[in-house]
C-alpha cells in the first residue's frame, strides 16, 4: 500500500494565541487536500485555540514536546494526557533544537517516544546530522545510532505508525536545503535501518519526512523522491506558502 504523504508545520516558538488563530484562518482554504495529511505542530499555549480553530477542516494538531511522566510535581511540563484531552494527535520528539539547547539525550527521547505511543499520540521523531558530521562522512552512522537508541524497545506495530523526520541541522533555518538526492539517500538509509531492526513490512509502512528549509519552490522535487513521505516545515509554515507546500 502506498504511504500517505504528511506535511507538518513546526511553528517552534512563534505565534501568540491570537496570532495563531489568525494564521489558521488565513491558511484555511489554502491547505485543503484529500491526499495529504496536514498537521500544525504548535506551541503549548496555542494548542487549545488552534484545535478549536481547525475544527471541521482536514488539519490535525500536534504538540512540540511532552513530558515522560503522567502527572505530578514537574513544574512547567505538559503530560501526554493533557495533550490528548486537548485534541492533539501528533507530537514532535527529539527536534535538534531540543537536543542542542535543552540537552535532551537519546535515552530521554526514547522514554518520550514510548510515553507518546502508550497514550495514543503519533510521534514525529526527528534525527539529523551536523555539517561537521556530514563533512566527516559519518552522517548515516550517526543517524542510525539516533534511530536505534530512540526506538529501543518500541514494538514493530508502533514503529509502522510513527513518523520520522530527517532534518539535517545545517539545513534548518539556513535557507540551505539538502538536495533532493541527499535527502532521499538518508531517508532510504533510515528505512533500511528500520528494516534491519524490524522487518520489511514495518520499513515500508513508516513515514519519513524531510525537514530543513523546505519551501514552496523545493517541496515538489523533495516529496517526489521514493523514500520521502512529506516534510516538516519550519519558517515556511507560518505563511501562505505552507498551502503551496501542502499542494505541491
Ligand atoms: P526550517 O523549515 O525553518 O528550516 O525549519 C525546519 C525545522 O526545523 C522543522 O522542524
Amino acid at each position: 500500500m502506498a504511504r500517505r504523504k504528511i506535511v507538518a508545520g513546526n511553528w517552534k516558538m512563534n505565534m501568540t494565541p491570537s496570532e495563531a488563530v489568525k494564521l489558521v484562518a488565513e491558511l484555511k482554504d489554502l491547505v485543503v487536500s484529500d491526499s495529504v495529511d496536514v498537521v500544525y505542530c504548535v506551541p503549548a499555549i496555542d494548542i487549545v485555540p488552534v484545535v478549536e480553530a481547525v475544527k471541521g477542516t482536514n488539519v490535525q494538531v500536534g504538540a512540540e514536546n511532552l513530558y515522560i511522566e503522567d502527572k505530578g510535581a514537574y513544574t512547567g511540563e505538559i503530560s501526554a494526557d493533557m495533550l490528548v484531552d486537548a485534541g492533539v494527535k501528533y507530537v514532535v520528539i527529539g527536534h535538534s533544537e531540543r537536543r542542542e539547547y535543552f540537552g535532551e539525550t537519546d535515552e530521554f527521547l526514547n522514554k518520550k517516544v514510548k510515553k507518546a505511543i502508550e497514550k495514543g499520540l503519533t510521534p514525529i521523531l526527528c534525527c539529523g546530522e551536523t555539517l561537521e558530521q556530514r563533512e566527516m562522512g559519518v552522517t548515516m552512522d550517526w543517524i542510525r545510532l539516533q534511530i536505534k537508541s530512540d526506538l529501543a524497545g518500541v514494538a514493530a506495530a508502533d514503529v509502522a505508525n510513527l513518523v520520522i523526520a530527517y532534518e539535517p541541522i545545517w539545513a534548518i533555518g539556513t535557507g540551505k536545503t539538502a538536495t533532493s538526492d541527499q535527502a532521499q539517500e538518508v531517508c532510504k538509509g533510515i528505512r533500511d535501518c528500520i528494516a534491519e531492526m524490524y522487518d520489511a513490512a514495518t520499513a515500508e509502512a513508516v513515514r519519513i519526512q524531510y525537514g530543513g528549509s523546505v519551501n514552496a519552490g523545493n517541496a515538489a522535487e523533495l516529496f517526489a523522491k521514493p523514500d520521502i513521505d512529506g516534510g516538516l516545515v519550519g519558517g515556511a509554515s507560518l505563511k501562505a506558502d505552507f498551502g503551496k507546500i501542502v499542494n505541491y
Side-chain angles (χ1 to χ4, degrees):
M1 214 178 72
R3 290 179 299 272
R4 197 173 153 88
K5 300 269 191 219
I6 175 165
V7 177
N10 175 8
W11 289 10
K12 307 192 181 186
M13 198 177 75
N14 295 294
M15 298 287 137
T16 64
S18 52
E19 288 168 345
V21 170
K22 234 175 99 194
L23 178 63
V24 171
E26 280 165 17
L27 292 177
K28 192 173 177 184
D29 296 329
L30 307 176
V31 297
V32 176
S33 172
D34 292 335
S35 48
V36 174
D37 289 341
V38 183
V39 185
Y40 296 160
C41 299
V42 307
I45 198 165
D46 295 341
I47 287 171
V48 170
V50 169
V51 166
E52 187 59 34
V54 300
K55 272 197 182 137
T57 75
N58 56 312
V59 177
Q60 294 198 303
V61 178
E64 296 180 14
N65 193 16
L66 86 173
Y67 193 55
I68 58 173
E69 299 293 343
D70 287 344
K71 58 161 68 178
Y74 303 101
T75 303
E77 292 299 322
I78 295 183
S79 73
D81 289 327
M82 293 171 184
L83 298 178
V84 170
D85 188 66
V88 166
K89 303 290 181 204
Y90 294 85
V91 57
V92 178
I93 295 177
H95 193 281
S96 60
E97 288 149 17
R98 295 220 56 90
R99 294 176 188 260
E100 184 182 346
Y101 306 142
F102 303 97
E104 296 195 2
T105 62
D106 287 308
E107 193 188 353
F108 186 48
L109 297 170
N110 176 245
K111 290 183 183 157
K112 291 192 177 195
V113 168
K114 286 175 172 164
K115 181 54 71 179
I117 291 169
E118 176 198 328
K119 299 293 182 177
L121 292 165
T122 300
I124 300 178
L125 173 64
C126 303
C127 59
E129 82 287 4
T130 62
L131 186 57
E132 198 184 5
Q133 287 170 322
R134 174 158 286 269
E135 284 170 350
M136 276 166 30
V138 298
T139 296
M140 214 51 239
D141 296 329
W142 173 250
I143 286 169
R144 288 169 59 87
L145 201 71
Q146 289 186 317
I147 295 293
K148 286 188 176 174
S149 321
D150 299 346
L151 295 182
V154 179
D158 294 322
V159 172
N161 282 324
L162 67 75
V163 179
I164 297 175
Y166 165 54
E167 298 206 310
I169 295 168
W170 49 271
I172 295 176
T174 57
K176 196 176 164 196
T177 320
T179 66
S180 56
D181 286 338
Q182 284 173 325
Q184 161 60 22
E185 187 184 12
V186 177
C187 291
K188 166 135 194 343
I190 293 170
R191 204 176 298 289
D192 291 343
C193 179
I194 298 292
E196 283 168 37
M197 290 172 69
Y198 298 92
D199 51 61
T202 306
E204 266 311 299
V206 66
R207 293 192 288 180
I208 304 175
Q209 297 174 313
Y210 167 78
S213 300
V214 173
N215 59 44
N218 59 28
E221 188 186 334
L222 287 159
F223 300 172
K225 292 291 181 183
D227 288 291
I228 302 180
D229 305 314
L232 185 57
V233 185
S237 71
L238 302 171
K239 39 188 191 180
D241 271 18
F242 191 65
K244 293 193 190 131
I245 298 173
V246 167
N247 290 292
Y248 65 96

